[in-house]
Amino acid sequence: MLTKIRTLALTLIAAGLMALAARADAPQEQAFDEAPVALRTPMPAYPKDLHSMKIEGRVAVLVEIDEKGAVTNVQVLKSTNSAFDAPALRAVRNWKFTPAKKDKAPVKAQVSFSLKFDPNA
């Protein structure tokens, strides 16, 4: 179980880093010099019925981060299965970041992330 959690965590972190690197994919993102960095990323709960049926999925979210690094809003951009949406939203609302910076000052930012639900992880 711990291995599954670590694999999911690494998947989320990798997906987040890729999303930050490809910021152009997220609509309405503000320009910033330094991207926000994830400090705390609690894992989403895998819906038990989907896990037992070995159903995997992805949820792309748009996350608004304030000048203190707190998530102020999150919305689903795209999902392979709507049953993953609520767990993804609940988890991301509890994430914490270092704030984005523009001209060395903390600024609000919007970034996109893709969360992968893998029953074999």
Side-chain angles (χ1 to χ4, degrees):
M1 181 67 168
L2 189 54
T3 302
K4 288 182 181 183
I5 291 172
R6 285 186 182 146
T7 302
L8 183 55
L10 291 174
T11 301
L12 288 171
I13 291 167
L17 292 174
M18 288 187 302
L20 286 173
R23 290 191 315 263
D25 292 341
Q28 304 172 342
E29 285 192 14
Q30 291 90 26
F32 40 80
D33 300 330
E34 292 179 41
V37 176
L39 298 174
R40 184 171 50 99
T41 55
M43 308 285 278
Y46 205 115
K48 290 180 183 180
D49 53 338
L50 297 179
H51 189 269
S52 64
M53 292 186 290
K54 303 280 188 195
I55 295 175
E56 64 180 54
R58 287 191 181 270
V59 179
V61 294
L62 180 65
V63 183
E64 293 180 13
I65 303 164
D66 70 12
E67 299 92 337
K68 295 182 181 181
V71 173
T72 56
N73 192 24
V74 60
Q75 64 183 12
V76 172
L77 296 174
K78 188 175 177 182
S79 176
T80 59
N81 185 324
S82 62
F84 292 117
D85 294 0
L89 291 172
R90 274 193 299 275
V92 174
R93 284 186 186 114
N94 291 300
W95 287 10
K96 180 70 176 166
F97 295 83
T98 61
K101 291 186 180 176
K102 177 75 173 168
D103 299 324
K104 299 183 182 180
V107 294
K108 293 179 182 179
Q110 290 184 331
V111 293
S112 60
F113 292 93
S114 178
L115 287 82
K116 181 178 180 182
F117 290 81
D118 183 354
N120 300 311

